[in-house]
Amino acid sequence: MSLIKIINFPTIGDERGSLIAMEAKDQIPFNIKRVYFIFDTQKNVSRGFHAHKDHQQVAVCVSGKCRMTLDDGKKSEEVWLDSPNKGIFIDKHIWREMHDFSDDCVLLVLANENYSESDYIRSYDQFLKITNQ
Ligand code: TYD
């Protein structure tokens, strides 16, 4: 089973331009409690390098692109987030890394919980212990 769980957001377009809605009831498989976005990422910077104990997230590049790798402790897969239509569901216990940010990249993340450092697994060794036990 693929680690890459793509959510396709329909574009609502008319002669004025485009609009995309992300609603918990239709596209997002949890109630959204927090929204954050990553932008102005400097050249050759990669981010992420963590998993969550419980939190779930959906990530989408609303502008530009980046390459995301997802790892469940057994296998790793990568996906380009390169369209505002293309979201990725990231479940708990998935190690994520983001690379190759374009200058114009705005990576939007929706989360089902408030920020809590205690939910982070920031050591890859600890992540492997948790996922392979
Ligand atoms: P971090 O999660 O380490 O960023 P990334 O994994 O994308 O590289 O977060 C960077 C900093 O921002 C860290 O000090 C925690 C803080 N932060 C918040 O205060 N609230 C949030 O919702 C998030 C995601 C991070």
Side-chain angles (χ1 to χ4, degrees):
M1 205 170 59
S2 175
L3 299 178
I4 311 295
K5 311 238 180 289
I6 292 178
I7 300 170
N8 290 304
F9 300 109
T11 301
I12 305 162
D14 58 29
E15 62 286 352
R16 297 170 298 170
S18 303
L19 182 156
I20 290 173
M22 297 167 189
E23 272 207 69
K25 85 178 159 61
D26 292 326
Q27 291 99 3
I28 309 299
F30 49 74
N31 283 320
I32 300 158
K33 214 160 174 183
R34 177 167 53 110
V35 177
Y36 64 93
F37 45 96
I38 292 171
F39 60 104
D40 279 351
T41 305
Q42 300 299 297
K43 287 244 172 299
N44 301 317
V45 167
S46 294
R47 300 194 60 140
F49 300 95
H50 67 259
H52 282 283
K53 294 174 188 165
D54 279 313
H55 294 187
Q56 298 176 319
Q57 299 185 325
V58 168
V60 52
C61 278
V62 294
S63 167
K65 61 181 182 174
C66 70
R67 181 172 59 86
M68 182 174 273
T69 62
L70 298 179
D71 178 338
D72 66 357
K74 296 185 178 65
K75 61 179 186 293
S76 173
E77 294 178 17
E78 72 167 37
V79 59
W80 277 95
L81 299 183
D82 53 6
S83 163
N85 293 101
K86 187 186 195 178
I88 291 293
F89 172 68
I90 310 169
D91 210 345
K92 64 179 186 174
H93 293 178
I94 298 287
W95 185 267
R96 86 288 314 270
E97 298 176 8
M98 292 83 79
H99 307 278
D100 302 331
F101 288 84
S102 62
D103 288 344
D104 59 346
C105 182
V106 180
L107 176 62
L108 179 78
V109 182
L110 314 175
N112 70 333
E113 287 296 345
N114 293 327
Y115 172 73
S116 159
E117 188 58 38
S118 64
D119 195 72
Y120 279 70
I121 306 162
R122 291 196 185 269
S123 148
Y124 191 69
D125 286 346
Q126 192 198 344
F127 168 70
L128 288 180
K129 278 187 195 134
I130 289 169
T131 50
N132 289 306
Q133 68 191 359

